[in-house]
Amino acid sequence: MTKRLYWPGVAGVGSGVIMLTAVIILNSNIPDDTGKRGLAKTLTFYLKSSNLDLLETTTLLLLTSSMLFLFFLGPLTRIAGKRSQLVLAGGIAFAVLMMAAALISGIFAISAKYDDTFLVVAGTALLAMLLIDLAYGAFIGAMAAAAVLLFAMWRVSRTTDDLPQWLGWPALVIALGSLAGPFTAWITTLLMGVWILAAGVLLVLRPPAAAAERPTTAPAEPSVAPTEPPKVPAGPRT
C-alpha cells in the first residue's frame, strides 16, 4: 500500500456509512404495496410531506454513496492484481445500478414535492407502485454486479496477502446471498455497506509500504580508482 490510499479509504468509509443510513431509512419507509390495500397504503404514504422529504433525502444519500464508492474502487482494483478487471467491471456496474435505484425510488416523491402540476391521486399512485418494484429490481441488479466484485476479492484473500481473510470470507457470504437477489436484496445491500465500511477502514489504518521499504542505511559511495599524479618532465642535464 502507498500513502495515497488514505483518502480513497476515507471515501470507502464515507460510502459505507452513507449507504447503510440510506438503505435503513428506505427499508423502513417504503410503503407496503402488496395485497388488496396496497394502492390505498401507497396513496396515503405519498400524501404525507414528511415521507416525501425522507425519500428525497435517501435519493441524495445513495447518489453520494455511489460516487464515493467509485473513488474507493481504484485501490480495490490495484489490490485485486490479475483479477482487477472483474473488480472494476463489477464495481462500476454496482455503482451505476445503485444510482439508478436511487433515482427510480425517489423520482415520484421529488416530482410530487416540487411539481405543482403533479398530483398524488389513485392513478399516479399506481405509477408509484410500479416505480417501487423497478427500484427493487435495480437493487437486485446492483447486488448481482457486486457479487462479481466480492467473489474476486474473496479469491484475492485466498491466494495473496493483499486482503485479510476476515474481509475475504464475508465477501464470499455476501456474494452468495446476492445470488438469491429477489429475496435477499433488502439485506445484502445493508451487508454490502458494512463490507465497504470495513474495507475503507482497512485502507485508512494500513501503514504505507513506502515507509516499510525505505532503506535503513545510506547507499555506499561509488568507488573511484586513484589517479596517478602527473609526470613532470625532467630538466636538461648540466
Side-chain angles (χ1 to χ4, degrees), residues 11 14 22 25 56 64 82 126 129 138 177 202 213 222:
I25 295 174
E56 181 186 14
T64 302
K82 64 181 181 180
L126 288 172
M129 295 172 65
L202 175 68
E213 296 175 357

Side-chain angles (χ1 to χ4, degrees), residues 219-233:
E221 294 290 337
S223 58
V224 180
T227 57
E228 295 182 0
K231 294 182 180 181
V232 180

Side-chain angles (χ1 to χ4, degrees), residues 11-29 52-70 94-95 98-103 105-106 110 139 193 196:
V13 172
S15 177
V17 170
I18 295 172
M19 181 177 171
L20 277 172
T21 304
V23 173
I24 290 173
I25 295 174
L26 196 60
N27 285 344
S28 58
N29 286 279
L52 302 182
D53 294 336
L54 279 175
L55 288 180
E56 181 186 14
T57 300
T58 56
T59 300
L60 296 175
L61 289 176
L62 286 173
L63 290 174
T64 302
S65 172
S66 300
M67 288 185 288
L68 288 174
F69 176 81
L70 288 174
F94 167 75
M98 284 296 291
M99 287 188 281
L103 292 172
S105 64
I110 294 172
F139 280 119
I196 295 171

Side-chain angles (χ1 to χ4, degrees), residues 101-162:
L103 292 172
I104 294 171
S105 64
I107 190 63
F108 187 93
I110 294 172
S111 299
K113 182 178 179 180
Y114 293 104
D115 190 350
D116 295 334
T117 63
F118 188 88
L119 301 177
V120 180
V121 294
T124 56
L126 288 172
L127 174 61
M129 295 172 65
L130 175 61
L131 290 174
I132 291 173
D133 293 338
L134 287 176
Y136 191 70
F139 280 119
I140 293 173
M143 291 312 302
V148 177
L149 179 151
L150 294 169
F151 273 125
M153 297 310 295
W154 170 68
R155 287 300 300 160
V156 170
S157 72
R158 297 290 293 163
T159 56
T160 71
D161 295 329
D162 293 330

